[in-house]
Amino acid sequence: MSQVDPQLPTPHPFMANSAPGSYKELLRVAEVKEIEEVFEQIPKDHLFKGEWSVPSALKSEAALYKHLTGMLKKNISAENYISFLGAGCWQHYVPSICDEMVTRTEFATPVWGTPSSDHGRNQVWFEFSSQLGELVDMDFVGLPLYSYGTAAGHALRMASRINGRKKVLIPASLDPERAKVIYNYAGFSELEGHLEIIAVNFDPATGRVDLKDLESKLDNTVSAIYFENPNYLGIFESDAAKICALAHSVGAEAVVGVDPISLGIIAPPPEYGADIVVGTTQPLGVHMNAGGGVGGFIATRDEEKYAREYPTLQVSLTDTLVPGEMAFGLTLFEQSSYGSREHGKDWTGNSVYLWAVANATYMSLMGPEGFKEVGNSIIQRARYAADQIATIKGLKITWRDGFFKEFVVNFDGTRKSVSQINKKLLDKKIFGGKDLSEDFPALGQSALFCVTEVHSVEEIDSLVKALSEVCA
Amino acid sequence: MIKSKIRKYHAPVWDEPLVMDLSAPGRRGAFAPELEEKIAKATSEPSALIPASLARKTPPSLPELSEFEVQRHYLHLSQQTLGMMGISLFGTCTMKYNPRINERLVYQPFVAEMHPHQDPETMQGLLEIVYRFDEILRSLSGLDKFVFQAGGGADAAYTMATITRAYHASRGELAQRNEIITTTQAHPCNPATAAAAGFKIITLPLEEDGYPSVEALKAVVSERTAALMVNNPDDIGIYNPHIKEWVKVVREAGGLCFYDHANFNGVMTRIRAADIGFDACMYMLHKTFGGLKGGGGPAVGAFGCNEKLIPFLPGPTVEKNSDGSFYLKKEGANSVGRVREFFGNVPVVIRAYSWTRAMGIDGLRDAANISVLANNYMEKRLLQIPGVTKALPELTQRRLEMTRYSLGELTAETGVNCIDVQNRMTDYGVDAFWLSHEPWFIPEPFTPEAGELWSIEDLDYWIDVLELVCNEARSNPEMVRTAPHNQVVAKQGSINLNEPENWATTYRAYKRKYKK
Ligand SMILES: Cc1ncc(COP(=O)(O)O)c(C=O)c1O
C-alpha cells in the first residue's frame, strides 16, 4: 500500500485541484509549505477542535443515488395519488420544454455576466416581463420576487411610499400563508415604516369582499386596498371595479393579486381599475416542488410614480455600439438595495430567476389560444367536480357560483371532521382539499378543493365516489 | 507571463429575434386537455361560469408559435448565455459544480409533484432530508436549529431583522432598541433588510487594519442596539480577528449577533458561528453548498440560530418524532410568522444535502483548503501583472478565499477601466468578475474567487486572459474600450435607461417608445 500524505486532499470529482500534482503546484507557486499558513489570519482560539457530526463522503454517484432515492421513494406524490390540494401551490401541467429549459446547464448554473455575455438570459427575462405584461395588461414589469405573498408585501410597501399613508386593507379571506408574509412585511408599530393592516370581512353568503364592511373601514388615511382575483377561497371578486373605485375615491392605490393562468379568460386587473398587479408565477410551467416552486411578480403602468418605487431589478431593451443591434440593460438599478443599501427601495437579491425561464417558455407555448383553453378547461372541470360533490348527502359546496379552480366543500352535515375525512381519502389514494377548519372556524368543517386541467373526468369521479363512501 | 494557449473563441450568435416577433397567427405550441364529453354535457359553457363583469374581452397578445419553434428559440437563448460554459470566477458567489444527479432527482415526481400541504405521512423522505441537513448545518455552525424558508441570502438577512424585532418586542424593549449595526464591508442586503424591517442603520467604516476597530464599535453600541449584522471574512479577503470581542460587546449591551456566512467556503470546518458567540447565522445553499445559481435563484439562505431565538423562527419547522418519523411543527405565538410561503425551498435543500453528502466532512475541509490556497496562488500570479494592485496591500497576512484587487493604475495609464476589461475578457470565453459592493473604497475594483471547482489550468487561463487584456489596454485601448467584439452582441449603447422616456421593461412599452 502506498503511503498517503496527510497534507494532500483526497481526489474528488468536484475538485480538479484535489489531484496531488495540481495541489502541489498550487502550494509551490503560492509559496505555502503547510496549509495552515494560508489561514494565518484566523486566531487559534477561533478554531474548532471538536468532533464533527457530518457523515463521511459518498463519492460514487451510484452510492449517492441509492442513498437519496432510498429516502425520496418514501414520498407519495400527486402523481402517485390523485391530489386536490391547491391553496397557494397548484398542480398544473408542466410542458416538457419548460423542464428542458430550466435544466439546461447554460441557464441553470450561471450567476451574473456582462450584458453581452448574458444576452440570451437577459432576453428571456425581457420576454418573461413582456409576456406577463400582456397577460396582466401592464407595461412595466419587474423581475420575479420570491413568492406571491412577498410580491404583495412589497407592493403594499410601494403604495405606502407613494402616498405616504400607513394603513392597508386586506381581505379576511386571504391565504394564511400569504397573510403571514404580509403581516411580517408590515412591521411593528414600535419601529419606522410600520403599516397598520386592517382585515375586511368577506360576505358569508358569497365568499366575496363585504363591500359594506370595506366602506366602513375606508377613509383618506388608507394607503391601499389589497384583494385577489380569484380570492383564496376560490371565488372571483366580481365587484372588483367597485372595490377599485372605492380605493380611488379616497386616493388609495388598488393592489390586485391574480393567478395568471386564469387570464386567458378573465379580465386583466387594469380593466377594472387596478393600479398595482401582483401574483404567483408558479402555475406558469413550474412544478409545485413541495412549495419550492413558488414565485411572484409586480406589474404596473409605466409611470415614474410606480417605476421609481420598485424593489426589484428589471431589464430594459436598449441599443449597442452597433447600429440597429438590440441589447438588454438594467434599469433603475440605483434604487435597488445593491445600489443604495439602506436607502434603497426595500431589498432584493437572489430570487427565483430560473423560474422566469420556465414562465417565459410556458407563455410562449400557450399563446393566446392556449391560455383561453386552459382557463376554460379548468373552470369547467372545477365546476363539474363541485356539482358532483354537491350531490353527496351531507356535503355542501359553500359557494356554488363564481369560482375558478378552487371551491369550498363543507362537511358539517357528515358530523365528521375534515381531518378524519382526509385520512380516509388518503387510504383511497386521494389527497383531499386543504383543511380550512382551523384558519376559518366560521366556515365549520370545510376544505378547499382544487381542480385543474390535469384532473380527468375519471379522477374527479373517483373523488366523488370516495367522498360518498367516506362520508356515508 | 502568459502560460496558456489562448483559444480561438466566439460566442454563438443567432441574432435571435424577440419571441413576440416570431409569432405567426394561428400557430399552436400547446393544447390544454380537451374536455371530456361527460363534463361538457353536465356543465355550462365557460362564459356562463365567469362573472360577466370579469370576462376577458381582448385576448392577451402573446406570441403564436409551434412547439418546436418555442424550443429552438429558447435553446438559442441558452446558447447565447456564457456563464459556466467558459470560466466564471464571480467573487462572493463561490462558483461550484452543480452535480447533475441533483437535476435528475429533483425533477422526478417524488420531489417535483409534491404539495406542501400534503399529510406529513406522505412526505417522510423529503422531511427526512430537510431534517438531516438541518443536523449537518447544526454541526457545522454549533447552532441549534436551521430553517430553509428564506428565498436567498438577503431573505435570510431579512429573517434576522424580523427575528430581532420579535425578540426585543417580546421583552418590551423594541421601541428603545431600534438600531442595527453593520459595516461598510457587509453586503448591502444587511443594512437594506434591517432598514426595511424598520431599524435605523449604523454603518462602521473600515480602518487601517481592514476592519472597523473595537473602539469604533464600542462608541456606537448602546441600550438602543438591537443587533449586529456582519460577515467575516469580507470580500477583500480580510478576517476580523477581534470578532469574538465584537460579539461580546454587542451581547453585553443586550443586542443580538448575526453572522452573514455567505463567505463560508474558506472557513468551513475551521470555525463555527456559535463558538465565536453569534446568536444566528446564514449559509447560502445556492453558493457554498452546491445548489444551482439559476441566474439568480431559486435560492435558499439557510437561517440558523441558538436556543434563545428558536421561539421566534418562522414556521412551520421540520421536527423528528420519538419514533423516528418526521412532522411539520407549527410556529409558536412569538414566531415571526412567515418570510415566504411554505416550509422551504425543498429542491434546493435536497441539492445541498446531496452535495454535502458527496463531499463528506473531509471533502468540506479539502474544499476550504483548496479554495483558500487557490486564491493565494492567484494572488501570486495576478500581482505580477503590471497595472494590477491589491486592496490594502500593507496588510500582508494571507487572504482567505478572495482577494480584492484594483485596476486603478491601469486605468490611470490607459483610460481603460474595470468594466472595459470585464467586457474584453468575455471575448476569450471568460465571464465577468465581481467588482465590489457599494461603497467602493478603491478605484476600479475586481474580485475573483477561485473556489475548489476550477483546475489550476482554468485559473491560469483566467489570469492569462486578464494579462492579455491589460497588454491590449496599452497597445490598443480603443479596441478594449469598445469591447466585446466576439460576444453575442456588442457593448451597450449610450441610451440612459434611468430616464422614463427610454426605459422599456416590456415589449409593449418598447413599441410605444421606440417604434412610433
Ligand atoms: C456576503 C453576502 N451576503 C449576502 C448576500 C446576498 O445573497 P442573495 O443574493 O442570495 O440574496 C451575498 C450575495 O452575494 C453576499 O455575498
Side-chain angles (χ1 to χ4, degrees):
Chain A
M1 243 177 67
S2 66
Q3 201 65 37
V4 182
D5 184 343
Q7 280 254 335
L8 290 178
T10 319
H12 192 285
F14 303 168
M15 301 188 280
N17 291 335
S18 57
S22 309
Y23 190 79
K24 284 182 183 159
E25 181 64 5
L26 293 179
L27 289 169
R28 187 187 68 77
V29 175
E31 296 172 41
V32 175
K33 286 193 192 61
E34 218 281 315
I35 192 66
E36 292 312 317
E37 289 168 30
V38 296
F39 296 96
E40 63 180 333
Q41 283 191 80
I42 307 177
K44 294 282 168 291
D45 71 329
H46 290 199
L47 298 176
F48 177 69
K49 305 267 168 33
E51 285 291 309
W52 300 102
S53 52
V54 177
S56 55
L58 286 170
K59 276 192 219 166
S60 106
E61 185 175 319
L64 185 61
Y65 186 82
K66 190 158 280 185
H67 171 65
L68 292 167
T69 52
M71 288 186 281
L72 290 170
K73 279 179 181 159
K74 294 183 207 156
N75 291 337
I76 299 169
S77 80
E79 285 196 5
N80 301 125
Y81 286 12
I82 311 168
S83 172
F84 295 94
L85 285 166
C89 186
W90 301 277
Q91 189 185 10
H92 290 287
Y93 186 71
V94 176
S96 308
I97 292 176
C98 293
D99 279 352
E100 179 185 12
M101 294 309 152
V102 293
T103 56
R104 289 283 296 189
T105 292
E106 295 94 321
F107 284 143
T109 63
V111 68
W112 203 261
T114 69
S116 303
S117 62
D118 271 345
H119 180 81
R121 188 201 58 192
N122 288 349
Q123 182 165 337
V124 182
W125 288 356
F126 181 78
E127 293 177 3
F128 160 82
S129 296
S130 294
Q131 296 182 82
L132 206 51
E134 295 303 331
L135 274 179
V136 301
D137 196 20
M138 285 290 196
D139 47 7
F140 195 99
V141 184
L143 291 175
L145 296 101
Y146 303 126
S147 67
Y148 193 172
T150 61
H154 280 299
L156 293 172
R157 295 172 59 84
M158 281 170 77
S160 169
R161 291 195 297 271
I162 287 168
N163 56 30
R165 301 179 186 177
K166 301 284 178 197
K167 196 192 281 181
V168 296
L169 305 186
I170 67 167
S173 62
L174 193 57
D175 179 356
E177 292 284 329
R178 286 198 286 287
K180 284 176 194 175
V181 175
I182 292 172
Y183 275 99
N184 177 291
Y185 274 41
F188 278 47
S189 58
E190 292 95 325
L191 298 179
E192 263 170 45
H194 166 243
L195 301 182
E196 183 190 353
I197 297 187
I198 295 171
V200 176
N201 296 338
F202 58 91
D203 182 345
T206 63
R208 309 200 304 254
V209 168
D210 178 340
L211 290 178
K212 282 221 174 62
D213 191 49
L214 175 69
E215 282 183 81
S216 75
K217 289 169 175 162
L218 188 66
D219 60 36
N220 62 10
T221 65
V222 170
S223 166
I225 300 180
Y226 176 67
F227 68 96
E228 298 177 343
N229 230 343
N231 68 25
Y232 174 62
L233 300 173
I235 307 293
F236 286 118
E237 297 288 357
S238 48
D239 295 322
K242 183 83 203 288
I243 301 172
C244 293
L246 281 170
H248 296 151
S249 73
V250 297
E253 299 288 323
V255 184
V256 178
V258 290
D259 178 351
I261 208 167
S262 71
L263 292 177
I265 58 171
I266 299 302
E271 225 163 83
Y272 49 79
D275 301 303
I276 305 179
V277 180
V278 301
T280 167
T281 57
Q282 181 263 320
L284 306 179
V286 181
H287 297 276
M288 297 184 287
N289 288 312
V294 298
F297 70 88
I298 300 178
T300 60
R301 297 187 291 279
D302 188 354
E303 294 171 8
E304 273 191 274
K305 162 178 154 184
Y306 298 106
R308 296 206 186 273
E309 295 301 337
Y310 272 70
T312 47
L313 298 180
Q314 37 284 319
V315 287
S316 169
L317 247 172
T318 190
D319 63 348
T320 75
L321 298 184
V322 175
E325 195 174 60
M326 156 184 93
F328 304 92
L330 291 176
T331 168
L332 297 170
F333 176 83
E334 278 308 311
Q335 74 192 36
S336 76
S337 53
Y338 291 119
S340 298
R341 298 177 73 94
E342 68 269 30
H343 307 295
K345 308 295 176 184
D346 288 344
W347 80 93
T348 190
N350 266 289
S351 178
V352 296
Y353 292 9
L354 186 62
W355 297 152
V357 175
N359 301 148
T361 308
Y362 186 86
M363 290 184 278
S364 307
L365 276 173
M366 297 300 277
E369 277 303 308
F371 269 96
K372 190 169 152 194
E373 271 175 19
V374 77
N376 284 340
S377 177
I378 290 169
I379 202 168
Q380 284 187 285
R381 284 170 199 280
R383 180 59 169 242
Y384 171 80
D387 286 350
Q388 298 304 307
I389 292 170
T391 64
I392 301 169
K393 196 166 153 282
L395 300 199
K396 249 183 58 196
I397 305 301
T398 307
W399 300 293
R400 288 293 297 267
D401 279 316
F403 55 86
F404 179 50
K405 64 186 180 190
E406 290 169 291
F407 53 87
V408 175
V409 180
N410 179 275
F411 294 91
D412 287 346
T414 66
R415 302 184 176 282
K416 291 189 178 77
S417 70
V418 173
S419 112
Q420 287 168 326
I421 284 162
N422 277 350
K423 280 277 177 218
K424 289 197 180 143
L425 286 177
L426 203 54
D427 294 338
K428 294 178 182 293
K429 305 194 170 187
I430 290 173
F431 300 153
K434 167 83 173 73
D435 189 346
L436 299 174
S437 59
E438 235 178 273
D439 295 323
F440 296 92
L443 298 178
Q445 286 299 319
S446 293
L448 186 65
F449 278 73
C450 176
V451 174
T452 74
E453 79 281 11
V454 304
H455 294 97
S456 68
V457 69
E458 291 80 16
E459 288 171 330
I460 298 170
D461 288 346
S462 67
L463 167 69
V464 175
K465 181 161 170 282
L467 275 174
S468 41
E469 286 164 12
V470 306
C471 294
Chain B
M1 196 195 57
I2 290 169
K3 288 168 74 178
S4 325
K5 178 182 174 300
I6 302 298
R7 298 186 192 191
K8 264 193 266 172
Y9 165 78
H10 200 296
V13 177
W14 288 105
D15 201 8
E16 189 68 17
L18 293 170
V19 73
M20 287 69 73
D21 290 331
L22 290 171
S23 181
R27 292 226 175 114
R28 294 299 303 273
F31 288 106
E34 212 175 319
L35 211 61
E36 295 89 338
E37 219 179 278
K38 192 171 173 194
I39 299 183
K41 274 202 184 127
T43 315
S44 328
E45 284 297 309
S47 57
L49 303 177
I50 302 166
S53 60
L54 292 179
R56 183 157 194 146
K57 292 178 211 86
T58 352
S61 65
L62 292 169
E64 297 173 78
L65 282 81
S66 70
E67 185 170 337
F68 170 66
E69 290 172 306
V70 173
Q71 183 197 34
R72 187 178 54 185
H73 172 70
Y74 288 106
L75 287 177
H76 285 170
L77 295 184
S78 75
Q79 293 181 339
Q80 293 189 152
T81 305
L82 172 57
M84 299 290 275
M85 298 299 100
I87 302 174
S88 170
L89 305 187
F90 198 91
T92 79
C93 283
T94 321
M95 304 309 291
K96 298 211 170 202
Y97 176 58
N98 304 137
R100 274 313 284 195
I101 181 179
N102 294 339
E103 302 320 289
R104 184 167 173 183
L105 288 171
V106 303
Y107 284 91
Q108 291 186 43
F110 55 37
V111 180
E113 294 302 330
M114 298 292 290
H115 192 285
H117 288 315
Q118 274 177 228
D119 191 321
E121 207 178 280
T122 65
M123 305 202 267
Q124 286 299 307
L126 280 186
L127 298 179
E128 178 169 359
I129 291 179
V130 173
Y131 189 83
R132 282 182 180 226
F133 194 60
D134 170 21
E135 285 183 323
I136 287 174
L137 294 187
R138 282 189 246 159
S139 174
L140 291 175
S141 64
L143 292 167
D144 299 316
K145 183 74 193 168
F146 275 80
V147 294
F148 307 100
Q149 195 171 69
D155 210 17
Y158 178 69
T159 305
M160 181 62 197
T162 68
I163 285 178
T164 302
R165 229 164 42 184
Y167 170 79
H168 292 303
S170 77
R171 301 156 62 89
E173 292 186 357
L174 183 58
Q176 166 205 326
R177 291 191 183 273
N178 62 358
E179 293 176 355
I180 284 186
I181 301 170
T182 184
T183 77
T184 46
Q185 278 313 99
H187 187 272
C189 74
N190 290 291
T193 56
F199 290 100
K200 293 193 171 65
I201 309 303
I202 297 175
T203 306
L204 299 173
L206 285 195
E207 294 178 36
E208 54 274 23
D209 292 336
Y211 40 82
S213 63
V214 175
E215 290 65 44
L217 175 71
K218 282 183 177 159
V220 298
V221 167
S222 73
E223 69 291 346
R224 293 185 303 280
T225 302
L228 172 74
M229 295 173 81
V230 285
N231 46 289
N232 196 32
D234 64 10
D235 31 287
I236 315 174
I238 308 278
Y239 185 90
N240 177 353
H242 307 300
I243 193 68
K244 274 193 174 176
E245 174 78 13
W246 277 51
V247 168
K248 196 162 153 259
V249 168
V250 171
R251 288 180 63 156
E252 278 174 8
L256 299 173
C257 294
F258 171 68
Y259 196 163
D260 171 350
H261 241 321
N263 300 344
F264 187 55
N265 216 48
V267 296
M268 61 185 173
T269 75
R270 279 198 168 69
I271 60 168
R272 306 197 312 167
D275 301 343
I276 310 283
F278 283 97
D279 296 292
C281 86
M282 173 276 278
Y283 295 123
M284 308 268 248
L285 303 193
H286 49 299
K287 295 183 181 174
T288 319
F289 290 90
L292 304 166
K293 302 292 189 302
V300 168
F303 181 89
C305 65
N306 56 19
E307 289 286 352
K308 180 168 83 177
L309 297 183
I310 288 178
F312 305 96
L313 283 173
T317 52
V318 178
E319 310 288 350
K320 197 172 184 172
N321 287 308
S322 52
D323 68 357
S325 64
F326 302 90
Y327 71 102
L328 284 168
K329 186 176 164 198
K330 263 186 125 161
E331 68 275 17
N334 280 325
S335 158
V336 301
R338 297 279 183 287
V339 293
R340 189 191 194 204
E341 295 93 309
F342 308 119
F343 66 94
N345 211 339
V346 174
V348 183
V349 179
I350 294 172
R351 288 184 181 100
Y353 175 80
S354 160
W355 181 85
T356 310
R357 289 305 315 267
M359 296 298 281
I361 187 68
D362 294 335
L364 296 184
R365 183 125 185 136
D366 288 344
N369 290 349
I370 290 171
S371 47
V372 178
L373 178 60
N375 182 49
N376 279 275
Y377 171 88
M378 285 190 76
E379 190 175 312
K380 277 275 185 272
R381 284 210 58 206
L382 284 170
L383 292 177
Q384 287 167 9
I385 302 175
V388 175
T389 57
K390 173 167 140 178
L392 306 175
E394 61 285 3
L395 303 179
T396 55
Q397 281 192 316
R398 301 262 190 184
R399 299 283 156 97
L400 285 157
E401 86 285 21
M402 270 179 279
T403 302
R404 173 146 313 143
Y405 302 91
S406 168
L407 285 169
E409 287 183 5
L410 183 82
T411 307
E413 186 190 334
T414 64
V416 167
N417 66 24
C418 59
I419 305 270
D420 301 330
V421 170
Q422 192 177 45
N423 279 329
R424 179 60 182 157
M425 286 177 78
T426 66
D427 279 340
Y428 297 98
V430 171
D431 215 349
F433 44 56
W434 169 239
L435 307 176
S436 163
H437 298 299
E438 296 294 335
W440 290 7
F441 72 101
I442 53 165
E444 308 303 325
F446 74 98
T447 320
E449 180 179 355
E452 75 276 10
L453 163 63
W454 306 98
S455 67
I456 191 166
E457 294 81 8
D458 290 332
L459 301 177
D460 281 337
Y461 197 85
W462 196 97
I463 295 161
D464 290 339
V465 166
L466 180 70
E467 180 165 353
L468 186 64
V469 172
C470 289
N471 295 343
E472 290 174 343
R474 294 186 183 89
S475 59
N476 192 351
E478 187 53 22
M479 186 273 289
V480 180
R481 268 196 301 270
T482 53
H485 305 286
N486 300 335
Q487 262 305 328
V488 184
V489 291
K491 183 177 177 163
Q492 213 176 305
S494 55
I495 294 177
N496 179 352
L497 293 179
N498 295 319
E499 292 300 329
E501 60 275 21
N502 295 340
W503 70 54
T505 68
T506 59
Y507 187 58
R508 44 165 65 194
Y510 167 69
K511 277 192 299 189
R512 179 160 50 74
K513 294 178 190 183
Y514 290 90
K515 287 195 165 173
K516 281 173 206 137

